[in-house]
Amino acid sequence: MDKLYTLMRLLAAQQITNQRELAKQSGYSLGMVNTLIKTMQERNLVIIQQCDAKTRYVLSEKGVKFLHNMIKEHQLNKQSILGRSKGFIKKAVILAAGKKNEFPGIPVDLLPIADEVCALKRAVDLLHEQDINDITIVIGYRKELYLELFNMPGITFVENERYLWSGSMQSLACASPFIQEDFILLECDHIFEKRALSELLANDQDTCLLSRGMSNEGDDCMVELDENKNMFRISKDIRQLNHVDCILTGIHKLSYVFYQKMMDYFNDNRNPLLNYEYVIESMARDYQVPVLYLDDLLCWDMNGQEIYEKVCQQYYKKLLKREQEIDLLALKQLFCTLMGIEESAVKDLSYAGGMTNTNYRVTCEADTYILRMPGKCTEDMISRSAEKYNSKIAYLLGINVDTVYFDEARGIKITRYVEGAETLTPRMARLEENMKQSALLLRKLHTSQVQLSSSFDVFAEYEKYEALIEEANGTYYSGFTEVRKEFYRFRDLLTQIGLEHKACHNDLVAENFIKNEQRMYLIDWEYAGMNDPMWDIAAHLLECKFEPNEQELYLQYYFQSDPCTIAHRQKLLIFMICQDVLWSAWTIAKELKGEDFGTYGVERFHRAQQNIKEYIRRYESGSTDGSK
């Protein structure tokens, strides 16, 4: 039965045109494959097609159902070689042998990302914070740099002399003489939050892979989980997966027993380029391999020059901002005061993301909540009374989560936590399933006929930020004067085109959508008000970096049978420009208050400049493609 299962999985996963290929892929003899194919034919599990003189094996509808049931049974019957965590780990292995051609001369993990900080130094420091002081670093390319920079007690170096001709599993195997216990495995070129280690160590399984949500950067190892949240399949090609549940982070906890199983498998290796992730995937065929998913975890694999520069200019600052949290004890006391409960009722309080504001998840005896603390400068930018009213309207529409406390004076808000919810990322927002849900959610809001308590006028909002900048004697980006002229010219153009006045959210970043298995929600109604619906659509497409073909699909889901007119498309591009100008000014104003957003503001400003040129090309230069 196991051989039949293996063969059927191969047929389901890829197009195979002959039995020799099946034998090669499965490792079975040609005679065994022939016998199994006949068995499948007799049981009507496979259809053999002839196409262009080639044989093609396709699972029948009965075969697909049969395989599905076998997969379920196989998952339930997997062996568990994983014991419960002993609660402490003192060993770590860091893989640092490889060479990246984009970084000649010095490995990327040794390049500076901030003053006296590189990826490897940060990783070592974070391990030390967790009392993990026995660290083995596998080196190869420019090994002398590691020996010079990390010559300190507790660090052992081992060399992978074949780093140019081998994958990461060879490096992990080189460390075997120094591994006699459970350990943390790290890839050297990853930048990650400190909570990645603390939550991984707190997990009660001896072996556990750490994963995060999809993002726009470094989504190399995509993971498909089984129904028990164990690893089922990984791939760097999304077309090979039935669904993408998470992304591996390069930060994992491996038990000594599990590592020995990996080494047993690798001892028969004839492909030196094999990476350790695929060894783990092979183990997952027979053993349960738990995957810990941390929604909104900040973690980047610096696998190229572009992502390295973004880490230096923007992402690392974002990470530090998140880690510089306010005193959690004071937050706990504040929460209990606001909710009128004893401190003993709070079981856990942890960071839960945020850009403009800072959010915390608070787990109590009876329920779980999200505590929103307002960010700097928001008291000058946002009407909290309007936010409170609009949030309530959205909740009654079935779009927003339930708000249980709202302090208009201070901007503090407490909402009920949605069980099993995950926060969308721009990459996740562009998955077709999520496109459809978010488009229907926006259409429901825009066609609801409800009246929100305020109107959103991009030009009035811009003038608020401009006043703050002028008051602080701030400096604008180079070229801002010219862009400002075009910005106000668009106000007259929008009047000529014609504007609608509907209920809108007005801040459609991916992170304002959350979803669980039942439904999707649209949260954070700080900027909500009456506006043209195309503002919301433009915001979502822009913030999530939709490609042109993805934009077309999204518009189809939103408009359904209604026409998407040239006027809609014209407003769409104008609003994209206006939003980049607005949030550029917002960034300048926020940074004058002490915030640091790296290159976020200037990048948006430069995109506004490019889109102004695109608008002129499409609609004012005689071009015929204004409908696109």
Side-chain angles (χ1 to χ4, degrees), residues 68-188:
H68 178 73
N69 291 332
M70 287 183 72
I71 289 173
K72 277 192 169 183
E73 182 180 352
H74 186 74
Q75 295 296 326
L76 291 173
N77 293 333
K78 278 184 180 180
Q79 300 179 53
S80 175
I81 60 170
L82 312 174
R84 294 293 173 180
S85 175
K86 305 175 185 65
F88 62 91
I89 284 183
K90 300 299 181 184
K91 175 73 181 179
V93 175
I94 302 177
L95 304 182
K99 176 184 178 181
K100 288 182 169 61
N101 292 329
E102 286 196 52
F103 301 95
I106 184 170
V108 64
D109 52 297
L110 299 183
L111 289 172
I113 55 175
D115 293 340
E116 299 183 359
V117 176
C118 64
L120 186 56
K121 183 180 186 304
R122 175 176 166 84
V124 169
D125 289 345
L126 293 180
L127 288 169
H128 286 164
E129 285 184 18
Q130 297 294 335
D131 292 325
I132 299 175
N133 299 307
D134 180 3
I135 302 172
T136 296
I137 303 178
V138 185
I139 55 176
Y141 176 60
R142 295 303 307 273
K143 62 182 179 180
E144 70 280 1
L145 294 178
Y146 295 93
L147 296 171
E148 176 184 346
L149 296 173
F150 292 91
N151 182 17
M152 60 183 71
I155 293 184
T156 303
F157 293 98
V158 58
E159 183 179 0
N160 176 5
E161 296 179 347
R162 294 183 52 81
Y163 70 89
L164 284 175
W165 309 285
S166 63
S168 59
M169 187 59 208
Q170 177 64 44
S171 288
L172 185 54
C174 288
S176 61
F178 303 94
I179 300 175
Q180 304 295 329
E181 59 190 292
D182 300 354
F183 64 99
I184 294 293
L185 175 64
L186 294 176
E187 295 179 33
C188 65

Side-chain angles (χ1 to χ4, degrees), residues 316-350:
Y316 186 60
K317 294 173 183 177
K318 180 180 179 181
L319 183 150
L320 291 181
K321 177 186 174 184
R322 175 176 290 189
E323 291 186 340
Q324 292 166 354
E325 301 174 11
I326 64 175
D327 187 342
L328 293 182
L329 178 59
L331 273 179
K332 179 179 178 180
Q333 293 170 343
L334 173 64
F335 177 85
C336 293
T337 299
L338 298 178
M339 295 294 287
I341 61 176
E342 297 293 329
E343 289 186 33
S344 59
V346 175
K347 301 305 179 185
D348 184 60
L349 193 155
S350 59

Side-chain angles (χ1 to χ4, degrees), residues 462 477-490 577 580-582 584 604-606 608-610 612:
Y462 169 80
Y477 306 130
S478 176
F480 213 102
T481 300
E482 292 76 12
V483 168
R484 186 180 183 276
K485 290 178 183 177
E486 293 295 311
F487 176 69
Y488 278 109
R489 186 172 74 88
F490 285 133
I577 296 166
D580 276 336
V581 175
L582 176 68
S584 296
R604 296 203 70 145
F605 175 69
H606 289 157
Q609 290 177 308
Q610 292 300 315
I612 288 171

